[in-house]
Amino acid sequence: MEAFVRMTAVAAPLVRANIDTDIIIPSREMKSVSKTGLKDGLFAGWRYTAVGGRDPKPDFVLNQPEYAGVGILLAGENVGCGSSREHAVWALHEYGFRAVIAPSFNPIFYNNCVRNGLCPVILPADVVAAIAAQVEADPANAKVTVDLEAQKVTAPDGSEYGFTLNNEEDRIALLNGYDAVDLTLLHKDAIDAFIASDQGQRPWVYL
């Protein structure tokens, strides 16, 4: 997994509640189980003029030149609801997003973000709206910083907002690019000590 420590980037304001995974990547765009080849289908229903087409809607945020090089998504409450498809996170990551800032996340989507190197940041709705307003006022220059090491978001006007992930294990995983096996191996000494003790007490289990 790709590690995430900090990022300063253009942010895409898409502050709508209940952006579900079928909006993020419609099922018709999921033509393989690979983590690649999905970015063109990202937000396809909103991004293009016709179902299955690739003619861009000029008014959709990702089609506007000011948002080229976008790396952070500003979303509304309950982002990632709907089906549990991991493709939604894969599509966001392949497009170039490395962090999503929202007031709340669907739990499965949140976990999929953590497991795929996308930093899920929870901030109050009014804060997300304020950051989005600053971005919309000057999208090409209004950069946002997400610093997972310091656990803070810096808005374009310099305001700083602290955040925490659901648990420290998620933060360690993202900071180091660890998967579930890597996290387990952090406890290798304790695991080895348990096995050694257990072998002494129940040797027949290890025959």
Side-chain angles (χ1 to χ4, degrees), residues 175-191:
L175 284 173
N176 295 280
Y178 287 166
D179 61 18
V181 175
D182 295 319
L183 288 171
T184 300
L185 290 176
L186 292 176
H187 305 284
K188 186 177 183 302
D189 290 346
I191 293 168

Side-chain angles (χ1 to χ4, degrees), residues 26-157:
S27 57
R28 65 179 178 274
E29 300 288 344
M30 294 161 46
K31 299 176 181 177
S32 75
V33 296
S34 171
K35 292 186 178 183
T36 59
L38 298 168
K39 65 180 180 180
D40 288 343
L42 181 69
F43 294 116
W46 291 351
R47 193 170 154 200
Y48 304 117
T49 58
V51 173
R54 288 295 185 263
D55 294 324
K57 289 181 180 178
D59 59 345
F60 184 64
V61 60
L62 296 185
N63 295 330
Q64 297 171 17
E66 296 89 346
Y67 294 99
V70 69
I72 298 168
L73 179 66
L74 298 167
E77 294 178 355
N78 197 30
V79 63
C81 56
S83 78
S84 60
R85 66 189 68 169
E86 199 167 2
H87 291 70
V89 174
W90 296 347
L92 286 165
H93 191 284
E94 187 184 18
Y95 191 87
F97 288 103
R98 296 300 316 283
V100 180
I101 302 174
S104 60
F105 290 78
N106 171 272
I108 294 175
F109 181 79
Y110 172 96
N111 288 330
N112 284 339
C113 285
V114 172
R115 302 296 174 257
N116 288 279
L118 201 66
C119 185
V121 178
I122 298 175
L123 290 178
D126 60 333
V127 172
V128 177
I131 294 173
Q134 292 175 39
V135 170
E136 289 169 341
D138 187 12
N141 299 305
K143 301 287 182 68
V144 175
T145 298
V146 175
D147 189 333
L148 181 57
E149 194 167 51
Q151 298 185 93
K152 67 180 181 181
V153 170
T154 304
D157 67 357

